[in-house]
Amino acid sequence: MQFMLLFSRQGKLRLQKWYVPLSDKEKKKITRELVQTVLARKPKMCSFLEWRDLKIVYKRYASLYFCCAIEDQDNELITLEIIHRYVELLDKYFGSVCELDIIFNFEKAYFILDEFLLGGEAQETSKKNVLKAIEQADLLQEVRHLIKITPN
Amino acid sequence: MPAPIRLRELIRTIRTARTQAEEREMIQKECAAIRSSFREEDNTYRCRNVAKLLYMHMLGYPAHFGQLECLKLIASQKFTDKRIGYLGAMLLLDERQDVHLLMTNCIKNDLNHSTQYVQGLALCTLGCMGSSEMCRDLAGEVEKLLKTSNSYLRKKAALCAVHVIRKVPELMEMFLPATKNLLSEKNHGVLHTSVVLLTEMCERSPDMLAHFRKLVPQLVRILKNLIMSGYSPEHDVSGISDPFLQVRILRLLRILGKSDDDSSEAMNDILAQVATNTETSKNVGNAILYETVLTIMDIKSESGLRVLAINILGRFLLNNDKNIRYVALTSLLKTVQTDHNAVQRHRSTIVDCLKDLDVSIKRRAMELSFALVNGNNIRGMMKELLYFLDSCDPEFKADCASGVFLAAEKYAPSKRWHIDTIMRVLTTAGSYVRDDSVPNLIQLITNSVEMHAYTVQRLYKALLDDISQQPLVQVASWCIGEYGDLLVSGQCEEEEPIQDEVLDVLEGLLVSNLSTPVTRGYALTAIMKLSTRFSSVNRIKKVVSIYGSSIDVELQQRAVEYNALFKKYDHMRANPNPNIAVITIHASNSTEADMTDFVFQAAVPKTFQLQLLSPSSNVVPALNQGTVTQVIRVLNPQKQQLRMRIKLTYTLKGSAVQDLAEVNNFPPQSWQ
């Protein structure tokens, strides 16, 4: 996977994960163009499109579009499953996730993504293990924080 | 100094902004506060401030002043700081900036941290955005972690190694020892990432590929266990056990089996098993089938297995899910050359996909349809493709028209069918036909001698209906000019026009706003040519003389020359001899000085006779300010291919110049 973008129906970016080195300017350009292209698609169209030399896989969940750019040898259908798995993880973590959760807790959405994918590939195929790791890391945050504010 | 506002508070506030300007104001205010907080080197709230900066960055505002702060957070001992710091690094830094190199030491320390979640952050960041220099410096640490028994770290190290290899391919060798027992792991995360790592290595190096072929039996075993094992709640997706791992194994098998008989044979059974037993009601099952088909088609599989694969694709084409239809068409397009007959069996389903609502599916169906056209199915296929051409979106019309022309040229069952097909394309998609098609079509029509009357009649009729499609108009004009005599001579099947009607139509083209300059040129030339075929010469003379003062230079030049023909060579009209070719030469001079005493001479082979008429002048003006024209009449009773040796002599800037050349590329019309 080269990158993943999450954006609303109005085209507002909610998450951007880039696995290839690009300048800020290039990222903005790609985002703008791709968001426009995907938002113009009609509901009856399939989830795949060719864009530049990449394959784009996208799926809408409620008010959010999940959009991935994959390479020629990558399997489009399994990418849909990757997207679905990420949504399930968010859903389990936030308890019936909605766009607002991702807006107000964007850093957590990134943390979850970074426990599921690494360098654009799935690092863990068990839902349980991803959620367990996030849980433990969150605890680590709490504990250290507690230690900090109770000096004794 | 009050504490900086919390992240969620800021987000809430910014979202209340009613205009872009209001939002910008809030952002600027907060950025100013954050900047002064950074300047004060405040450790307590650095994390909060960077998090806010990351939010504002996502909205599109500049955040580069936070880059160094991310590095400070990474260096902190607090886990919360590190988490945000690494996230910030991945979002704000990239390898173009030297700043990122400062991370290397921190990452090195964190890779050796006592807490695995800190090690995880470091591995993730390195594997996502590590530059070549960083990868070189830290490859050793990654290799160490690849050998750990901690599966949480081992799986991350594997993907980090993939990134290192992509950035610095020469380092691939050093990871080889660590791959020794990767596949013996029980942990699916490690298995999955190991397969990805092995795939990367095999794709990059033929030596690695040869080395890892011995893993085929082990991979087959793992895949078999996944399929045969009972329900495993941890890895189950709609009744299938770890589809992600299955797909990656199938992909690695593809690479290992390609061009290798033994490996291909070793995986034959498992591929057949997956192909027949995988549940197809949901996307996840089809994802595995898709990968299986790709593998079967790429390795040296038995023909039975290949047919099985194509049939799976055929079933995909009938699936309600358009995504499945899309990948089926894509795969069929890849295999249509090698397994042509097998794909032919699904032709009617493929043709049905031409009517799909999705643009990508339509395009693939069109490409595949053209690939499947042959001598046996040309009539039926062309009917469907012409229907498609009628109704498809403009973005397809040019490619479809070209495809139709090519297919017709290759497989036309009869000349009449061929001309009819061309006509159909010109009338329904005439404006999308490529410019170079026009001369090709004219050539084709010329060669179909017995169809000339039929063709010119149909083209004339088409012009009566519509003169907006330029390629159609150009071809029609040329034909009317060339075969106008057939149009009015009683050879037509239907009601035939009279000469004046034909001239009306051609003159109409000259004045119409729809005609391009090129089209006008064709029309004028056609009118001129009819002066030797029609009797209404005076009318034609009048038209031609009017265009002698046309604003369009090209048109004007033609008109002037044609006028000249009228004035000087009218005596030739009396008995136009079909064996005589009339050739007009135009001489122009792009140099800075005039060419004076210009003389053109020509010699032809023995069977020809040549008559050179007087030139318009023997001075060719400098800088393309004018041309000298001269008419040559060539008698060619044996209708042999016309060849000519020419000699030009002239004086340029005081010296005499002589130029010799041979001309062999006269168009067939001139001597046939």
Side-chain angles (χ1 to χ4, degrees):
Chain A
M1 193 185 296
Q2 291 208 358
F3 58 85
M4 181 191 286
L5 302 173
L6 265 69
F7 51 90
S8 70
R9 282 224 298 265
Q10 289 75 41
K12 284 205 113 103
L13 198 61
R14 298 302 179 204
L15 186 145
Q16 50 173 335
K17 189 73 189 180
W18 299 85
Y19 295 109
V20 287
L22 291 165
S23 71
D24 233 20
K25 196 161 148 215
E26 287 168 314
K27 287 181 192 170
K28 279 202 167 124
K29 182 159 187 270
I30 291 174
T31 304
R32 197 174 44 238
E33 283 178 28
L34 199 49
V35 167
Q36 219 173 16
T37 308
V38 172
L39 288 176
R41 302 272 290 180
K42 303 192 190 62
K44 281 206 173 72
M45 292 177 160
C46 70
S47 304
F48 316 128
L49 59 108
E50 299 96 31
W51 188 80
R52 301 196 183 180
D53 60 338
L54 293 168
K55 301 201 277 198
I56 304 294
V57 179
Y58 72 94
K59 191 155 175 171
R60 204 184 107 202
Y61 288 85
S63 60
L64 268 183
Y65 282 89
F66 288 70
C67 183
C68 299
I70 58 175
E71 282 156 352
D72 211 44
Q73 332 85 291
D74 294 326
N75 182 323
E76 294 97 321
L77 299 179
I78 206 73
T79 307
L80 280 174
E81 295 299 322
I82 297 262
I83 292 175
H84 191 73
R85 174 55 65 87
Y86 181 45
V87 172
E88 284 180 322
L89 289 167
L90 290 169
D91 199 48
K92 203 68 201 279
Y93 183 83
F94 288 109
S96 211
V97 69
C98 62
E99 193 184 342
L100 275 177
D101 289 322
I102 306 210
I103 293 170
F104 279 93
N105 301 286
F106 71 94
E107 83 278 18
K108 301 218 169 83
Y110 274 109
F111 296 153
I112 294 168
L113 185 61
D114 286 342
E115 277 302 327
F116 175 40
L117 304 178
L118 199 158
E121 304 281 351
Q123 60 179 282
E124 179 56 68
T125 58
S126 153
K127 224 188 307 187
K128 190 178 89 179
N129 286 351
V130 175
L131 291 166
K132 198 165 72 177
I134 291 287
E135 208 179 310
Q136 301 281 42
D138 281 351
L139 268 177
L140 215 53
Q141 232 175 274
E142 297 288 317
V143 169
R144 292 288 167 94
H145 191 67
L146 273 173
I147 289 175
K148 222 232 145 248
I149 66 175
T150 55
N152 290 0
Chain B
M1 179 82 203
I5 71 169
R6 293 178 181 279
L7 170 66
R8 326 249 178 254
E9 190 61 48
L10 177 69
I11 296 176
R12 204 168 297 129
T13 309
I14 291 177
R15 283 171 64 77
T16 62
R18 277 160 298 171
T19 64
Q20 185 74 14
E22 212 181 315
E23 182 185 277
R24 210 176 304 132
E25 211 184 298
M26 291 178 182
I27 302 269
Q28 273 168 359
K29 188 164 156 229
E30 184 58 35
C31 277
I34 292 177
R35 279 182 128 116
S36 50
S37 189
F38 285 163
R39 270 196 297 269
E40 284 160 27
E41 294 284 353
D42 182 309
N43 290 334
T44 322
Y45 296 111
R46 183 177 286 123
C47 179
R48 183 184 291 184
N49 285 329
V50 169
K52 287 186 286 184
L53 203 54
L54 293 179
Y55 177 74
M56 296 189 285
H57 176 253
M58 182 142 64
L59 292 178
Y61 296 94
H64 43 268
F65 58 91
Q67 286 168 358
L68 273 170
E69 302 301 313
C70 292
L71 295 177
K72 291 179 194 161
L73 283 174
I74 291 173
S76 159
Q77 282 313 303
K78 292 207 290 233
F79 184 68
T80 317
D81 283 357
K82 284 190 190 286
R83 241 184 168 184
I84 296 290
Y86 276 115
L87 178 61
M90 285 192 272
L91 288 173
L92 300 182
L93 293 172
D94 69 71
E95 55 185 63
R96 287 142 208 269
Q97 290 130 10
D98 295 328
V99 164
H100 82 283
L101 287 169
L102 299 170
M103 267 201 291
T104 311
N105 223 37
C106 282
I107 294 185
K108 188 168 191 171
N109 291 336
D110 283 345
L111 284 173
N112 291 298
H113 204 273
S114 51
T115 310
Q116 70 175 15
Y117 297 105
V118 173
Q119 291 172 291
L121 287 175
L123 280 168
C124 179
T125 306
L126 183 60
C128 174
M129 58 159 307
S131 64
S132 321
E133 298 97 329
M134 281 167 74
C135 287
R136 259 185 240 276
D137 287 337
L138 300 167
E141 304 296 327
V142 177
E143 197 261 343
K144 233 170 37 189
L145 289 169
L146 191 52
K147 296 194 284 222
T148 176
S149 55
N150 180 336
S151 48
Y152 177 77
L153 293 173
R154 207 170 186 204
K155 72 189 185 194
K156 290 179 193 273
L159 289 182
C160 199
V162 170
H163 180 82
V164 169
I165 290 171
R166 284 189 183 150
K167 284 307 223 189
V168 194
E170 309 90 78
L171 291 174
M172 182 161 44
E173 290 283 331
M174 74 181 281
F175 293 106
L176 187 54
T179 62
K180 211 154 153 200
N181 51 9
L182 276 176
L183 291 184
S184 328
E185 265 274 1
K186 291 278 176 270
N187 180 291
H188 281 226
V190 177
L191 273 175
H192 186 271
T193 60
S194 301
V195 172
V196 174
L197 175 57
L198 292 168
T199 306
E200 186 71 26
M201 292 168 98
C202 290
E203 277 175 340
R204 285 187 178 268
S205 155
D207 289 335
M208 290 287 182
L209 178 58
H211 173 84
F212 285 125
R213 279 224 172 88
K214 61 180 193 271
L215 293 176
V216 170
Q218 202 173 0
L219 288 165
V220 168
R221 228 170 16 243
I222 298 172
L223 189 53
K224 194 164 188 158
N225 282 340
L226 285 172
I227 302 168
M228 306 296 275
S229 69
Y231 177 70
S232 154
E234 197 177 335
H235 298 108
D236 179 271
V237 180
S238 303
I240 295 179
S241 191
D242 206 337
F244 305 106
L245 182 55
Q246 288 195 38
V247 165
R248 283 320 297 235
I249 291 178
L250 285 163
R251 185 162 151 184
L252 180 54
L253 285 175
R254 174 155 79 247
I255 294 166
L256 295 172
K258 192 169 182 159
S259 326
D260 189 270
D261 289 323
D262 291 332
S263 300
S264 299
E265 207 193 305
M267 53 181 86
N268 202 75
D269 285 347
I270 191 67
L271 290 174
Q273 209 179 343
V274 176
T276 33
N277 291 345
T278 307
E279 179 67 51
T280 61
S281 57
K282 293 242 172 93
N283 179 66
V284 60
N286 289 319
I288 294 173
L289 279 176
Y290 176 39
E291 197 74 34
T292 310
V293 166
L294 291 177
T295 300
I296 292 174
M297 300 314 293
D298 235 19
I299 64 171
K300 293 183 166 268
S301 38
E302 312 171 339
S303 59
L305 200 53
R306 291 182 88 84
V307 171
L308 181 59
I310 303 238
N311 287 346
I312 289 175
L313 293 179
R315 275 202 308 277
F316 272 10
L317 281 181
L318 299 167
N319 197 305
N320 283 331
D321 186 339
K322 46 194 147 12
N323 293 333
I324 309 289
R325 293 203 298 276
Y326 176 94
V327 303
L329 287 169
T330 309
S331 312
L332 285 169
L333 204 49
K334 285 193 195 140
T335 69
V336 71
Q337 303 302 337
T338 46
D339 295 85
H340 192 91
N341 291 335
V343 179
Q344 278 284 1
R345 265 178 240 135
H346 302 280
R347 196 177 64 243
S348 53
T349 323
I350 292 168
V351 166
D352 278 342
C353 289
L354 286 171
K355 304 190 183 86
D356 203 293
L357 290 160
D358 185 300
V359 163
S360 307
I361 289 180
K362 272 203 277 237
R363 176 166 284 282
R364 274 165 174 65
M366 181 184 81
E367 285 173 30
L368 205 42
S369 297
F370 279 122
L372 290 175
V373 172
N374 60 28
N376 293 328
N377 60 34
I378 178 77
R379 282 188 196 266
M381 286 299 275
M382 199 53 82
K383 222 192 267 180
E384 297 285 349
L385 288 163
L386 286 172
Y387 180 74
F388 176 69
L389 182 62
D390 277 344
S391 52
C392 69
D393 299 328
E395 63 183 283
F396 289 116
K397 294 217 189 217
D399 288 334
C400 190
S402 298
V404 168
F405 285 149
L406 265 164
E409 209 171 309
K410 266 172 91 174
Y411 302 111
S414 75
K415 290 220 158 145
R416 179 168 175 146
W417 181 95
H418 197 170
I419 302 283
D420 280 344
T421 304
I422 292 173
M423 288 292 312
R424 176 83 181 269
V425 175
L426 288 177
T427 48
T428 55
S431 21
Y432 299 96
V433 165
R434 291 197 230 283
D435 291 336
D436 59 2
S437 308
V438 173
N440 289 342
L441 292 173
I442 289 177
Q443 179 77 47
L444 205 67
I445 291 168
T446 313
N447 291 339
S448 319
V449 177
E450 68 275 19
M451 300 299 304
H452 287 167
Y454 175 72
T455 307
V456 70
Q457 176 210 351
R458 287 214 56 196
L459 283 168
Y460 177 76
K461 235 181 127 228
L463 273 193
L464 291 177
D465 284 332
D466 175 14
I467 60 167
S468 64
Q469 304 192 85
Q470 302 305 292
L472 169 65
V473 176
Q474 288 167 17
V475 173
S477 304
W478 188 91
C479 284
I480 294 172
E482 190 69 17
Y483 310 121
D485 49 321
L486 299 175
L487 189 57
V488 300
S489 65
Q491 293 191 35
C492 296
E493 295 163 1
E494 297 175 23
E495 198 185 302
E496 60 178 45
I498 58 170
Q499 293 184 9
D500 275 324
E501 284 172 341
V502 177
L503 289 172
D504 283 342
V505 171
L506 288 176
E507 282 185 48
L509 295 177
L510 281 173
V511 301
S512 168
N513 287 334
L514 298 166
S515 299
T516 63
V518 171
T519 303
R520 291 208 181 91
Y522 271 93
L524 187 60
T525 304
I527 290 175
M528 185 59 198
K529 279 157 94 172
L530 288 176
S531 69
T532 60
R533 292 159 174 79
F534 282 8
S535 55
S536 359
V537 177
N538 284 327
R539 175 176 175 175
I540 295 176
K541 245 195 224 179
K542 224 192 279 183
V543 173
V544 170
S545 70
I546 289 172
Y547 279 88
S549 30
S550 165
I551 304 173
D552 181 328
V553 175
E554 182 63 39
L555 223 49
Q556 188 195 104
Q557 172 144 9
R558 282 178 202 237
V560 165
E561 285 160 18
Y562 297 155
N563 258 330
L565 283 173
F566 274 124
K567 294 209 175 80
K568 294 192 183 174
Y569 308 112
D570 245 2
H571 58 274
M572 287 196 293
R573 289 183 178 284
N575 295 305
N577 186 333
N579 293 332
I580 293 185
V582 179
I583 297 163
T584 311
I585 64 148
H586 304 260
S588 62
N589 165 20
S590 58
T591 68
E592 294 163 346
D594 291 344
M595 291 171 176
T596 55
D597 303 318
F598 177 78
V599 175
F600 171 86
Q601 290 169 277
V604 287
K606 280 208 229 1
T607 53
F608 297 83
Q609 269 183 49
L610 191 65
Q611 180 184 17
L612 223 56
L613 301 165
S614 325
S616 56
S617 158
N618 15 41
V619 175
V620 191
L623 300 171
N624 290 321
Q625 283 170 20
T627 59
V628 164
T629 51
Q630 187 164 13
V631 172
I632 311 167
R633 300 179 76 215
V634 180
L635 184 64
N636 179 10
Q638 291 179 32
K639 291 241 188 259
Q640 292 191 334
Q641 178 166 5
L642 180 57
R643 289 160 14 237
M644 204 183 271
R645 283 229 184 92
I646 64 172
K647 180 163 140 183
L648 307 174
T649 53
Y650 53 89
T651 308
L652 181 67
K653 293 188 189 168
S655 344
V657 180
Q658 185 179 285
D659 233 326
L660 294 164
E662 219 180 281
V663 183
N664 290 327
N665 57 351
F666 288 99
Q669 304 78 291
S670 63
W671 45 267
Q672 271 179 347

